[in-house]
Amino acid sequence: MKKQYLLFFLLIFSKKLSAQQVSDANADGPKIGKSIFSNEVKRNFSRKGDFFVIWGYNHSWYDKSDINFKGPGYDFTLKNVVAHDRQTPLTWDYLKPSLISIPQFNFHFGYFIKDNYSISLGWDHMKYVMDIPQSVQIEGHIDPTISNPGIPTGHYAGKYNGEVINVGPDMLRFEHTDGLNYASVEVERHDDIWVPRSQQTSLTMETGLGVGAVIPRSEVYLFNVGENNYWNLAGYGVSAKLGFKFFLTKGLFLQNSTKVGWINLTKIHTTGRNEYDSASQKIKYVENYLVLGYQF
């Protein structure tokens, strides 16, 4: 009986010693963050100090928004304007280096400041196209001749207080198609959902917040006068995202994320007469993107 008790206490002591050795090893080694999905740390390596890069394509949905147009002889707002993105047909053109930036794409480059926190720089190339024709409410005024040199406005001239008008191509064409570019700094948190014993593949959840500048190239024609304007710093935006990454190998991963954002554009180029004419709008959007990434 004494031998049995002795063996029992030796077994308990050996387990405590083993646990203490693991704890000491973790204290001396890299700090590995625990996932919100489990208190058990399953990885035997830390992401801290790793870099990552992603590239892929997006699809976006836009809430109705008000657009204000202002210049000599006019100051009017179109209310609750409907717009959509513009998807490039899926063809082999996606693989041509000279055409790689034509579709709606996402590019991000980041660095892990901690095991489960990273910071990244990104470029979200979205597209925004106002539906034409469409019926909307209008407020403000339009003179018979606007801008400098004068542009005739025809039957659209008048004072408005919420009347509904049909906006046709003879009045307006309004697009951010080269594109609605959101250049952002984002902070992300990464939580492991599943890690196999091999440690070579895994499933991770990513959440993040971002802030940045919006640099659209807007193609606008107001009463048939306008152009595909050059890129300009037109405003700023904020965003939040939630996504999932599946690591095909320890470094290569496939990611699908959804981002919600708010953009404030205060200086949109319109007719090309930037010293006179401009537009402004605030856009709420949802963006989903599928990307391929590599962590190293």
Side-chain angles (χ1 to χ4, degrees):
M1 181 67 70
K2 291 183 179 180
K3 289 183 179 181
Q4 290 177 340
Y5 280 117
L6 180 61
L7 288 173
F8 176 76
F9 284 116
L10 286 174
L11 180 62
I12 296 297
F13 178 76
S14 64
K15 285 186 176 181
K16 288 185 177 181
L17 180 61
S18 177
Q20 183 63 42
Q21 288 173 341
V22 171
S23 177
D24 292 342
N26 285 338
D28 296 335
K31 300 296 184 182
I32 301 175
K34 293 185 178 181
S35 169
I36 62 172
F37 296 97
S38 173
N39 289 326
E40 181 184 358
V41 178
K42 296 183 178 180
R43 280 183 291 111
N44 58 10
F45 61 91
S46 174
R47 301 187 185 100
K48 183 178 179 180
D50 284 358
F51 293 90
F52 65 90
V53 61
I54 65 170
W55 173 275
Y57 300 99
N58 67 69
H59 189 83
S60 300
W61 296 265
Y62 302 104
D63 193 12
K64 294 179 181 179
S65 65
D66 299 345
I67 309 176
N68 175 258
F69 296 86
K70 191 172 184 178
Y74 68 102
D75 185 351
F76 66 92
T77 301
L78 303 179
K79 311 288 287 186
N80 296 318
V81 170
V82 177
H84 296 88
D85 68 353
R86 177 175 289 168
Q87 290 293 320
T88 301
L90 185 59
T91 67
W92 290 109
D93 287 344
Y94 273 77
L95 301 180
K96 294 181 180 179
S98 61
L99 302 177
I100 197 170
S101 65
I102 298 296
Q104 301 179 172
F105 70 85
N106 294 65
F107 172 77
H108 284 248
F109 179 80
Y111 174 76
F112 277 85
I113 56 177
K114 291 186 177 181
D115 172 65
N116 61 335
Y117 283 95
S118 63
I119 186 168
S120 66
L121 300 176
W123 185 274
D124 292 13
H125 177 76
M126 299 177 283
K127 296 178 187 287
Y128 176 101
V129 182
M130 176 183 171
D131 290 2
I132 298 291
Q134 69 172 285
S135 296
V136 298
Q137 287 183 304
I138 182 173
E139 295 178 353
H141 75 276
I142 304 173
D143 291 353
T145 302
I146 65 169
S147 192
N148 184 21
I151 304 170
T153 60
H155 68 276
Y156 291 103
K159 294 183 178 180
Y160 299 95
N161 188 26
E163 295 86 348
V164 175
I165 66 168
N166 186 54
V167 178
D170 58 334
M171 177 185 182
L172 182 64
R173 176 180 174 184
F174 188 85
E175 304 177 358
H176 308 299
T177 46
D178 272 340
L180 185 62
N181 301 305
Y182 176 45
S184 63
V185 177
E186 297 185 339
V187 176
E188 299 99 357
R189 177 185 167 93
H190 307 262
D191 287 283
D192 294 336
I193 298 174
W194 169 77
V195 182
R197 290 183 178 180
S198 69
Q199 306 278 326
Q200 297 303 304
T201 63
S202 61
L203 179 64
T204 301
M205 185 180 78
E206 179 188 271
T207 52
L209 298 173
V211 62
V214 184
I215 309 168
R217 186 172 184 182
S218 307
E219 186 167 356
V220 182
Y221 290 85
L222 186 61
F223 301 107
N224 294 312
V225 175
E227 62 182 20
N228 187 9
N229 294 274
Y230 290 107
W231 294 272
N232 74 298
L233 179 58
Y236 60 92
V238 294
S239 59
K241 63 182 178 181
L242 168 66
F244 299 91
K245 298 196 296 186
F246 180 72
F247 283 84
L248 304 171
T249 68
K250 194 172 181 179
L252 184 67
F253 61 86
L254 189 66
Q255 177 177 344
N256 181 259
S257 295
T258 298
K259 181 180 294 186
V260 294
W262 177 82
I263 287 172
N264 184 15
L265 301 177
T266 59
K267 191 67 175 179
I268 302 169
H269 289 172
T270 56
T271 62
R273 306 165 178 181
N274 300 328
E275 67 274 29
Y276 298 113
D277 304 319
S278 67
S280 61
Q281 70 176 145
K282 297 175 181 177
I283 303 173
K284 298 176 184 177
Y285 69 91
V286 176
E287 175 195 2
N288 181 265
Y289 56 91
L290 180 66
V291 297
L292 190 66
Y294 191 75
Q295 187 171 314
F296 55 96

